[in-house]
Amino acid sequence: MLDSEMHNLQNCIAACQEAIRACQTCAAEDIRAGTSLCALINLDCSDICTATMNAMARNSLHHGDFAAVCAHVCRACATACSVHAEIHAHYAACQIACEKCASECVKHVKERHI
């Protein structure tokens, strides 16, 4: 793998890590507040970001496949959180982190092997 390709993977891994943190925080805040506005999509997004990050870290041949699903779920999560982003900062932070993660993941979709 070229250094530039590895750098791109590292950027995506970092974006996944940030999305995981933001999604976990958003889900926890929803649960603490007794709502479920975004909790389920946050947990789904956190899970796929974790799986994608792990696939990229081990340089899996299928990292592009993970990235495609991750981009899709991150966009869905960002959309869900955007509805409430003006109400609480954790929604806005999650929206931003998920949008960035989707943007980074899209760069790797062309590397799909399925």
Side-chain angles (χ1 to χ4, degrees):
M1 180 172 284
L2 299 173
D3 285 342
S4 61
E5 290 172 331
M6 193 53 163
H7 178 72
N8 286 339
L9 284 180
Q10 292 302 322
N11 288 343
C12 194
I13 289 169
C16 285
Q17 288 173 323
E18 183 55 35
I20 292 164
R21 282 191 289 273
C23 287
Q24 290 289 327
T25 298
C26 197
E29 290 296 327
D30 269 3
I31 293 165
R32 284 186 192 103
T35 67
S36 59
L37 297 173
C38 296
L40 292 176
I41 187 66
N42 290 151
L43 295 174
D44 288 347
C45 192
S46 176
D47 286 347
I48 191 59
C49 287
T50 299
T52 301
M53 179 183 67
N54 290 339
M56 289 190 173
R58 68 178 170 266
N59 198 19
S60 168
L61 292 176
H62 299 281
H63 70 271
D65 302 306
F66 282 89
V69 175
C70 191
H72 172 76
V73 175
C74 280
R75 280 190 224 105
C77 190
T79 298
C81 287
S82 72
V83 174
H84 314 290
E86 292 183 12
I87 300 169
H88 296 290
H90 64 88
Y91 292 116
C94 191
Q95 176 189 356
I96 291 166
C98 288
E99 287 171 349
K100 179 174 172 92
C101 189
S103 176
E104 289 295 328
C105 283
V106 164
K107 295 175 185 177
H108 300 282
V109 171
K110 66 185 178 302
E111 299 157 4
R112 296 179 74 182
H113 289 276
I114 291 179

